[in-house]
Every structure is written in C-alpha cells, then in structure tokens.
Amino acid sequence: MVKRNRYATAVSLFAALGSITYGYGASIIAQTIGQPMWYNDFNLAQDGPGVAHTNMVTGLMNGLFSTGGALGALCTAWTTHAFGRLRTIQLACVVCIIGGALMTGSVTIAMFQASRFIMGWGIGMMVCGVPLYQSELATPTHRGRHVGFHGMALALGYALTGFIGFGCYYYSGSSFQWRFPFAVQLLPVLILLAGSVKLPESPRWLLSKGRKQHAWNNLQRLHANPEDPTDSFARKEFYQMTQQFLLEQQRREQLGVTHWWDFFKRKSFLHRVAIGMGSQLINVSTGNLVVNNYQVSLYQRLGITGGIPILLIAIWNCVGIWGNTMSAFFIMDKYGRKSFYMVGIAGCGMCLAFEAALTKYFVETGSSNRVGLGFGVFFIFFYVFFYSSCMDNQQYVICSEVFPMETRGLGVALSLFGQFAGTALFVGVAPTSFAAIGWKFYMVFVSLCALNVCIVWRFYPETKGLSLEEIDELFGDPVAVHLTDANKDQIEELERQMQQFTLPSGGIESGVETPEKNGVERISLSGGK
C-alpha cells in the first residue's frame, strides 16, 4: 500500500474550504427561519393567516438556491474542461462572494431571493469542482479519504450555521441577528480564493491539454514518497495516465466522437451517468435536505421552542461531522462504497418510518407525551448517523470516480445537476406538503429508500482500490494498462522502461509506446522500489 503524501493531503484539505462554503450556504436557511428578526425585517408572519405566504417565501428561497445550484453544476461541464479544475474552483469562489455579500446586505425580499439564486450558482460550481479536483489528485488507495474531506468539511459548514445562529438568536435588537450568519459564509471562500494561487492544477487535466511536463511535475510532487526515492509509483501512474489518454483519443476517432453530445451515443457513458446522477438522486430521495433545512419547524412541531431548535441543529450536524470522518478515515478505502451505501439507505428509511409514526400519533394529535416526542428527536438524530457515516461521502466519491478523463467534468456536472434538481423539488414543496399531508410526506421518502436499496444492490459496481483509469473496465471500456499485481518479470521489465522514460516536448503521443508495442499488460502498484 502506498503511503499517503502529506502535501497531497494538505492540498485536498485546503480545497475543502470550498466544501465548508457549500455546507454552510446550503444549510444556513435552517437557522434563518428560526430568527425572529428575519421575519420582522421582511414583514413575514410566523403564525396566523399570513403563514401561508411565509411558507411560500421559504419554499421559493430554497427552490431558487437549488435551481441556481443546478445551473452552476451544469456550467462546470464547460469550465472544468476549458479552464481546468482549479480555475473552476476559483470562479466558484468569485460567484459565492457576490452572492454572499448580496445576501448579507439584502433590504427587500426580492433582493434576498435573487442573492439565494446567485449563491446557489456558486455553490453548484463549488460542489462539482472540489470533489472532482480531490479525486484526480489522490492515489487509488486514498481516494475515498481525500474526497471524504469534502463530506467532512460540508458537515462542518452545516454545524457552523447552527452554533453561529444559536449565538445570534439572543441578539434580538437588530438585523444583526440574521445578517451576521450570512456574512460568516464569506470567510472560508475568501481564504480559499486567496490561497488557491499556490494550489497545483490536476495532472490529468494538464495531460489532456498536452502539458506533459507540468502534469508530471505536479504528479511527482503530489505522490512523492521518501521510501520511494526513484518515484517509481508516480512514474507508473503517469505511464498509465498517458497510455489511457492515448487509448481514449484513438477510441474517439474510431467512434466518431467530435462534440460533447456524441458521448451520449455510447452505452458505457449512459451507464456511468445513471450511476453518477443516480447516487445524487438516491441521497436526495432520503429527504436529507428536507430534514436539515426544516429542522426548526420539525422541532417546533415536537414542542421545542425558543433558541433550543437552533442549538439542536448544531448538535445534529456535529453528529454529521463525526459520521463523515468515520466514513472518510475508516470505511470507504477499507470496506468499499457499495455495502455501506446500502446500509445507509436502509437506515435512513427506517428512521423516517419511525418519524412518520411518531408524528402521526404524538405531534399531529397535540399530545404532551414527552417520551413519544423525545423519540421523535431521537430518530432525527439517528437518521443523520446513518446518512453521514454511510451515504454523504459515498455520493461524491462515486460520481467523481466513475467517469473517464475525457468526460469526467461533464459527468460530474450532470450528476450534481441531479442533486440540485431533486433538492429543488423536495425542499421547495416541503413546507406546503407538511402542512397539507403531514406525516404522510415522510412515507414518500421511506418508499424511495426501499426502492433505492434494490437499485444499488443490483446495478452499482464496487470501485474500492482501483485507479481512475482502471474503473473504465467496470463499464465495459478497455484499459490500456492495469495497475494491479503482476508477475516478477513484468514488474522488472516495467522498471527498466520507467528508468529510461523521459517526458517528450511534443504531443501526447510522442515518445509514448502503446500497450500493443511494449507488450506490458499488467503492472504492479505495490509501492516501494
């Protein structure tokens, strides 16, 4: 097993500042709707005959955020290809800064709604760019952990909204109560934008643009190991990347692929889109953002009032941080993605089924039974345990690794578009649905969870331990060079080739032998010399 490179780890962690911005921006409304001054400043009723209008406003602001996110995600299909992974993150930072500043300074509800759309656009770009960037910088054995930093950071962003909102709740004298939490979301994105000038671009993207020397320099530094002074691991990986890219070029010519829409003619690409977008829709259909964004309302329905619901949001998201950390460090790279993904879906469905029953018999009947209402809170927390430890990280790892280099930007953009589109649907209708059908709204998610367990079991492949290039084989596409165990003669022959390997200054093809010419079919990625 290859040792983790501290520089690569630091780069992935720093990029996760964008994930904090995503988590904070996506969940900040959960505490905002618990701040009395927000309703006061925008002349919104918290109860009485005007509450229907308030429900429409809260549904619209979440729907606009998700719509902006969907469009921002689609935008990255172009930006990640044309400008690179790092530039996409930087563009996302600029858009988030504009959206966050407008949100903080909003003076009318129309201005506030417009800022939510702009912020959503930036968040959509960020949530595509960060895990894509992290996945292409990581080694196969640490890819789950590095992309897992994204999940850990967004959970931290969720938690920060709760604690900051709880503190501001007790400052009820002015609009500072709700403006300050919006201002805080600018801090991580400003730091990320300033520090991004020192971050390396993805070696795979550089290679796709013919910038081989730059790609090799970045890869060598990212995957250097003191126990491997000759950089044999990085050389093998760069060799595989180069060979696979050449093979993809040849296949594009053979299949007549000249425009991005031509990829949709390939069954393997449609299969990958179904897996990538499916993972996002599966997570959305557990009702995760409905539970998160409307926790204040849920707790109030359970008889918990004042600032305590906002504090419970923060504690709930701390459970999410713990679960995402467990997933990143101890689950995905060791046990894989698929089995725990199914456990998470089933666990979330079970929790929501109990929540529906408790809502029906204790909340909607106006019961004062503290045990029944207490279990309602318990299952909301048990829900986030399953979701964060088994599903949150997995959705981003899956969609960032199932696509080949030639379509990874497009594929991740389509996948995350699915997340925002699904979120816009469920979060947008949640206030009205809870008011109209109550506990039955939970049963929609319970039914979807039952269906999704079967879908993952039947159609999802396991990708643990495979390089991004080797995953192609799971979808029926050829792999130029495998980084798996080989016999001793093959390994020694490869080492001789790699010692003589020099990086040419011409096109991608120059100086690189195809697998047919050199006879190497499988090579070892065991690390060391």
Side-chain angles (χ1 to χ4, degrees):
M1 182 175 179
V2 179
K3 281 192 173 183
R4 189 169 74 256
N5 180 295
R6 290 184 179 180
Y7 172 68
T9 301
V11 170
S12 290
L13 277 171
F14 189 79
L17 284 170
S19 309
I20 295 177
T21 304
Y22 164 64
Y24 196 101
S27 64
I28 193 169
I29 292 302
Q31 64 83 30
T32 302
I33 61 177
Q35 306 288 13
M37 288 303 299
W38 182 77
Y39 293 92
N40 182 70
D41 289 348
F42 290 117
N43 298 315
L44 297 172
Q46 290 185 265
D47 51 37
V51 74
H53 173 69
T54 301
N55 287 339
M56 182 187 70
V57 169
T58 55
L60 179 61
M61 67 186 180
N62 283 317
L64 284 171
F65 178 85
S66 299
T67 302
L71 295 175
L74 287 179
C75 177
T76 63
W78 172 61
T79 61
T80 54
H81 173 74
F83 305 119
R85 288 34 170 153
L86 183 58
R87 290 288 181 269
T88 294
I89 293 174
Q90 292 170 330
L91 285 171
C93 288
V94 173
V95 178
C96 286
I97 290 169
I98 295 172
L102 290 173
M103 201 179 302
T104 304
S106 292
V107 293
T108 66
I109 196 64
M111 181 178 177
F112 185 81
Q113 299 286 36
S115 70
R116 286 288 290 168
F117 176 80
I118 295 170
M119 189 67 184
W121 190 294
I123 289 299
M125 296 182 68
M126 192 74 76
V127 76
C128 287
V130 171
L132 172 57
Y133 180 70
Q134 291 168 324
S135 70
E136 293 192 347
L137 267 57
T139 63
T141 53
H142 296 106
R143 191 168 60 247
R145 179 174 300 182
H146 281 208
V147 181
F149 293 154
H150 170 73
M152 291 166 57
L154 68 88
L156 176 60
Y158 288 161
L160 284 174
T161 62
F163 285 115
I164 293 171
F166 177 69
C168 290
Y169 176 83
Y170 294 96
Y171 189 89
S172 57
S174 73
S175 61
F176 177 89
Q177 186 186 63
W178 63 268
R179 291 189 192 277
F180 180 75
F182 284 121
V184 171
Q185 69 186 322
L186 294 169
L187 292 178
V189 75
L190 285 168
I191 296 171
L192 176 58
L193 181 61
S196 64
V197 296
K198 297 293 185 181
L199 296 182
E201 180 56 90
S202 164
R204 287 178 169 86
W205 181 80
L206 291 169
L207 187 63
S208 73
K209 297 301 180 181
R211 297 162 62 181
K212 296 180 301 301
Q213 187 63 53
H214 193 175
W216 166 247
N217 292 341
N218 286 1
L219 186 71
Q220 184 181 35
R221 188 179 182 191
L222 287 162
H223 294 174
N225 184 348
E227 297 181 4
D228 180 20
T230 61
D231 292 317
S232 61
F233 171 80
R235 287 176 178 272
K236 293 171 187 178
E237 190 175 21
F238 189 76
Y239 179 78
Q240 183 198 47
M241 288 163 51
T242 308
Q243 296 291 78
Q244 188 67 23
F245 187 76
L246 174 59
L247 179 61
E248 289 173 359
Q249 283 185 317
Q250 294 170 343
R251 281 175 54 78
R252 284 200 301 271
E253 294 175 2
Q254 293 170 358
L255 298 173
V257 176
T258 56
H259 303 288
W260 63 268
W261 53 82
D262 292 329
F263 289 116
F264 288 90
K265 300 175 183 178
R266 296 167 60 172
K267 287 185 178 180
S268 64
F269 179 70
L270 294 176
H271 186 189
R272 295 172 198 261
V273 171
I275 297 296
M277 185 180 288
S279 66
Q280 303 301 315
L281 292 174
I282 285 171
N283 280 44
V284 169
S285 63
T286 63
N288 63 314
L289 285 175
V290 171
V291 174
N292 184 73
N293 283 16
Y294 296 105
Q295 275 189 79
V296 168
S297 299
L298 296 178
Y299 293 135
Q300 288 173 345
R301 285 154 60 89
L302 292 169
I304 303 169
T305 58
I308 301 303
I310 300 177
L311 179 60
L312 287 175
I313 291 174
I315 298 172
W316 189 84
N317 283 308
C318 285
V319 177
I321 296 174
W322 177 84
N324 275 279
T325 302
M326 292 292 293
S327 173
F329 281 85
F330 304 109
I331 293 178
M332 284 192 292
D333 287 325
K334 185 174 183 180
Y335 299 106
R337 291 65 158 136
K338 184 175 179 177
S339 57
F340 273 84
Y341 199 36
M342 290 189 291
V343 169
I345 298 168
C348 287
M350 176 197 70
C351 291
L352 292 179
F354 278 107
E355 195 67 38
L358 291 165
T359 300
K360 178 181 179 181
Y361 291 107
F362 294 101
V363 178
E364 295 185 356
T365 60
S367 172
S368 59
N369 187 309
R370 296 177 65 86
V371 175
L373 296 174
F375 269 106
V377 176
F378 168 79
F379 279 107
I380 291 176
F381 275 77
F382 204 29
Y383 170 93
V384 76
F385 164 78
F386 279 109
Y387 184 82
S388 62
S389 61
C390 301
M391 295 187 67
D392 207 1
N393 279 331
Q394 279 82 343
Q395 64 175 324
Y396 297 108
V397 174
I398 289 170
C399 76
S400 64
E401 67 183 5
V402 298
F403 295 96
M405 174 60 224
E406 59 183 347
T407 60
R408 191 166 295 126
L410 173 62
V412 171
L414 290 172
S415 298
L416 270 298
F417 171 81
Q419 180 192 107
F420 283 103
T423 300
L425 170 64
F426 288 124
V427 174
V429 304
T432 304
S433 298
F434 276 126
I437 61 175
W439 66 271
K440 295 177 183 177
F441 190 48
Y442 286 118
M443 297 309 298
V444 174
F445 300 115
V446 173
S447 301
L448 290 172
C449 285
L451 174 64
N452 290 333
V453 169
C454 300
I455 291 174
V456 173
W457 173 75
R458 176 64 179 85
F459 298 107
Y460 275 56
E462 180 55 73
T463 55
K464 177 178 74 77
L466 298 176
S467 70
L468 291 174
E469 287 70 28
E470 288 176 319
I471 290 173
D472 285 1
E473 200 165 49
L474 299 177
F475 295 92
D477 290 330
V479 177
V481 180
H482 287 76
L483 296 179
T484 53
D485 290 339
N487 62 54
K488 183 178 179 181
D489 292 340
Q490 289 175 321
I491 295 173
E492 290 178 350
E493 173 61 24
L494 176 67
E495 289 294 336
R496 286 193 293 271
Q497 292 178 7
M498 294 307 293
Q499 290 296 331
Q500 300 170 1
F501 182 61
T502 57
L503 296 170
S505 57
I508 286 288
E509 297 85 347
S510 58
V512 181
E513 294 181 335
T514 64
E516 292 78 8
K517 291 180 182 179
N518 61 38
V520 178
E521 295 178 352
R522 307 182 74 83
I523 58 181
S524 174
L525 186 57
S526 56
K529 303 175 185 178

